[in-house]
Amino acid sequence: IIKNDAMCMPWNLFFNEYNGVDFTKDDMVSVCSSLLNKRLEEGSTFSESLFSDDCSSILRMYLKSTEVEDPEESLQCPLSSLGLLAKSSKNKNAYIKTSPAKDTLHRLAVLYVIVSNLPREKQSVRINELVTGANNIGRVFNLNRVKVNEYLDQLKISGYLTINRTAGLDMVYLNDSITPADVLTKYYEEVRVR
């Protein structure tokens, strides 16, 4: 969803460019619509009301609600279980971007994002690119450098990649040529075994 900026521009802007902390929906809409205006070709416009609705959808999709009384009445999105957004403790009408708990984000989901962002001919990427690069794991999952390294270490232990942190290289090398579809297959095989 986040990577598809042609069809899901608000998602792309929110996760890749919006750095709001303790933000309200109005803050989010205002800043993200300004970012969108910078991307539009001269003379192009967009529906501000639809853009605002999309921002509301983002909040509903990723905000983990703990106040649902009857689970069968819940229309909560499955992505909310990642916990990428939370209510602010400072302002009841505000939100904060949060990292998922370790037990909610599978290491193969992280590998999937890494692999889908690599150009076909490349089998390596800088750790900094994983942390700060558009559509990459730092942005998509709100992971800081420490958490990115924790997931990389899990993937290294599982044999999917090698990490070179010597002499300032900070490079990640995939051990095998693997496609996003291969990662999905491995994920479903592993989850089925449990």
Side-chain angles (χ1 to χ4, degrees):
I1 295 170
I2 294 163
K3 194 172 182 178
N4 187 352
D5 65 343
M7 299 296 290
C8 302
M9 182 64 75
W11 281 260
N12 184 275
L13 291 169
F14 178 72
F15 282 96
N16 286 309
E17 297 183 40
Y18 183 65
N19 296 315
V21 176
D22 276 335
F23 61 92
T24 64
K25 179 191 167 205
D26 291 339
D27 296 335
M28 176 186 173
V29 170
S30 175
V31 173
C32 287
S33 63
S34 293
L35 292 167
L36 177 57
N37 276 320
K38 290 178 186 175
R39 285 192 185 185
L40 291 176
E41 294 179 18
E42 191 173 324
S44 296
T45 60
F46 64 94
S47 166
E48 291 183 26
S49 66
L50 287 176
F51 190 85
S52 178
D53 290 347
D54 284 346
C55 289
S56 294
S57 294
I58 292 169
L59 294 174
R60 282 192 309 274
M61 283 177 73
Y62 298 102
L63 181 67
K64 187 167 186 173
S65 174
T66 56
E67 301 159 9
V68 178
E69 292 177 14
D70 182 2
E72 291 185 19
E73 296 292 321
S74 173
L75 295 177
Q76 193 172 12
C77 178
L79 296 173
S80 67
S81 65
L82 288 172
L84 297 179
L85 290 175
K87 286 282 196 175
S88 169
S89 60
K90 297 177 185 176
N91 176 350
K92 72 175 189 162
N93 295 321
Y95 308 92
I96 56 171
K97 287 184 176 182
T98 56
S99 297
K102 274 188 176 181
D103 62 339
T104 61
L105 179 60
H106 198 282
R107 73 188 188 297
L108 291 178
V110 172
L111 181 63
Y112 176 85
V113 173
I114 293 170
V115 170
S116 27
N117 280 298
L118 281 177
R120 276 212 165 123
E121 66 281 355
K122 285 188 78 175
Q123 290 295 108
S124 63
V125 62
R126 291 194 172 283
I127 292 175
N128 192 55
E129 177 64 21
L130 296 176
V131 176
T132 62
N135 302 316
N136 231 314
I137 59 176
R139 296 288 187 171
V140 170
F141 297 120
N142 300 327
L143 300 175
N144 61 24
R145 182 176 274 288
V146 171
K147 291 191 181 208
V148 164
N149 278 302
E150 288 173 2
Y151 279 101
L152 293 177
D153 289 339
Q154 288 179 26
L155 291 166
K156 178 183 174 185
I157 290 167
S158 299
Y160 291 106
L161 50 85
T162 303
I163 306 167
N164 185 344
R165 294 185 176 108
T166 58
L169 283 179
D170 288 339
M171 291 292 295
V172 173
Y173 304 92
L174 294 178
N175 289 342
D176 297 311
S177 181
I178 190 168
T179 67
D182 295 334
V183 177
L184 284 177
T185 301
K186 288 179 184 296
Y187 171 79
Y188 286 111
E189 287 172 354
E190 189 172 308
V191 170
R192 186 177 54 208
V193 170
R194 286 185 190 178

